[in-house]
Amino acid sequence: MHFSIRQSASAVRQSSPVLVAACVWLGLMVFVAVFAPWIAPYGYAEQDLLLRLQPPSFAGGPPGHWLGTDHLGRDVFSRAIYSIRISMAVAFFGALIGAVVGTSLGALAAHRRGLVEEIVMGLVDVQAALPFLIFALLVIAFFGNDLFLFVLVVGFQGWERYARLARGLVLDAKTRGYAAAARSMGLPLWRVYFVHIGPNIAGAMAVQFTLNLPETIILEAGLSFLGLGIQPPLTSLGLMLNDSRNYILLHWWLPAVPGALIFITALSMSLIGDGLRDWLDRSQR
Amino acid sequence: MIRFIFIRTIRAILTALTVVTTTFVVLRVTGDPVQSLLPVETTPPEIIELYRRMWNLDQPLWQQYVGYWQGIFHGTMGRSFVDGRDVVGIIAERIPITLELMGWTFVAMLAIGLPAGIAAALNRGSWIDRLVMAAAVAGHALPGYVMGILMIWLFAVELRWLPSSGYGTPQHLIMPVITLATAYGAVIARFTRAAVLEVLGQPHVLAARSQGWAGHTIMRREVLPNAAIPLVTIIGLFLGGLIGGSVIVEWIFAWPGIGRLLVTSVAGRDLAIVQALVLLFSATMIFANLMVDLAYAFLNPAIRVRG
């Protein structure tokens, strides 16, 4: 199973306009996340207390703040840009942590079998028994909140699914001829796993990764919304939404901007994940 | 069958043991809770000593662990770090409030999800199907906190039909229930659609149809009972989602249940309440998953053999 550029290009041509729009949106979000400091006209914590709660330019607000300002006179557009940067970074690195930890543990369980497998799968059961939001809240309550720990916690979201998937795939791969052949030729173990088995399970893991991304975004924004995730003065989409709660009555743009960004981004990611899964299913048949 | 029940029960007990031990260990390795609670420099040592004794922190670790288990079985989980009230009492008075929210949500999400999923499956490829599937995908990506804020803006601010938050009257229930139920109703619709489509293609349905049975008879006697089997298995999954979702929804709508209690306790670092709530949630989930496994084994004999 290889992802060649020619195959990907043909997959894009065959796919629906909705999927293309999702890809374009996600690409835009990645671009904004990477180049945030050059795009944002103001800093995310820059206050102008004389221009508080101004409506967007197109709704009669001042020309300098085209999405308006919040209760501290901070530019909503600039804060949204930086929030996208933070949320995307937390989601991406977080999802990567879960993927690496889960896949390694799953592969280890399939490799060693016996007691190791029992312990890993037991941990998977424990994790699956506890709603992840509750688990994250527990860790934050016990260990306090700092950015590094927060990314780590958010990242563990979904590790048990990678572990289950990787274990199943590696067990399956071990029964196939190529793995036994590679082993019998006396190749070192790391080569068998990274060069021979790895590429064969990479497609399924990539699909799991894209399906996991929107959940990570939603979890990050949710914890920040509860005031237990990203802490001010840093900003995140969930934090912006939480800040806006007291101003819904007269200032609709304050919740609308972060709410729409979270929804469209999570939607794009799950559409791409679904599309990728369907495409992988088709190409394996 | 007995072997299957036995193995599953043992696994559930092991999971529960791990969760309890983990919360105990984590609570102890994070340092002395008394020190994070009281200003160490200015508090007289006798007061610190008193607090230590109140939470049995002066005993050796193994005695604390035994005491921890005894507390769980006697229903004494210590006192709130913040206001000194009995933890079990604080939680017990809020459980019915959360159950009220969850119960109505459960009814609402089945009322939305089942008909939508069945309609989509029976009209496969039609606009109904496409609408339901699009709503299911969108519902999955629309987090409760965005949906909740949108509802408040629409129904409380613009239309002024409903109170924006709080607890007490049936009107207060509407927005939280709809917020929670749309998210999971969408997923139920998707599962129901897949389950019904799967059964519709089975030979026994084709046989019934070829014998000239009426459509609604086939649905009632062949399709729906068989489609219900996979749906039972995902109810455990939903309970987890509902617990997580209710935390967010209770927070948005100021619903005074255990979800809101969890958020305020985490923010205030009231570890006595946090650990009791986590044990409560885990126990509920473990028990629900066990029941689902057993129900599935009754409904589908093939699974019993595998254990």
Side-chain angles (χ1 to χ4, degrees), chain B residues 19 57-58 63-64 82 84 116 119 205 214 244-245 261-262 264 274 278 287 297 302:
Chain B
V19 171
L57 293 170
D58 53 343
Q63 271 188 13
Q64 289 186 33
V82 173
V205 176
L261 178 67
L262 179 64
T264 49
V274 173
V278 167
F287 184 72

Side-chain angles (χ1 to χ4, degrees), chain A residues 245-269:
Chain A
R245 285 205 303 154
N246 298 328
Y247 305 95
I248 298 178
L249 189 56
L250 294 172
H251 313 282
W252 56 267
W253 65 93
L254 287 176
V257 171
L261 282 172
I262 294 170
F263 174 57
I264 301 173
T265 308
L267 185 63
S268 304
M269 285 172 169

Side-chain angles (χ1 to χ4, degrees), chain A residues 19-67:
Chain A
L19 200 56
V20 175
C23 290
V24 170
W25 177 264
L26 197 62
L28 182 69
M29 288 300 104
V30 171
F31 180 83
V32 167
V34 172
F35 296 104
W38 290 276
I39 300 172
Y42 298 87
Y44 58 83
E46 209 177 310
Q47 302 180 3
D48 186 346
L49 292 173
L50 295 175
L51 278 179
R52 295 186 313 134
L53 296 168
Q54 295 296 317
S57 308
F58 56 81
H65 303 280
W66 71 276
L67 283 180

Side-chain angles (χ1 to χ4, degrees), chain A residues 200-250:
Chain A
N200 278 285
I201 70 171
M205 302 317 284
V207 170
Q208 182 60 41
F209 184 78
T210 38
L211 290 174
N212 204 26
L213 263 182
E215 290 177 28
T216 312
I217 284 251
I218 287 175
L219 177 72
E220 180 276 318
L223 286 168
S224 301
F225 177 76
L226 295 175
L228 301 168
I230 303 285
Q231 297 295 320
L234 222 57
T235 177
S236 109
L237 293 173
L239 206 57
M240 283 180 79
L241 199 61
N242 191 31
D243 280 347
S244 76
R245 285 205 303 154
N246 298 328
Y247 305 95
I248 298 178
L249 189 56
L250 294 172

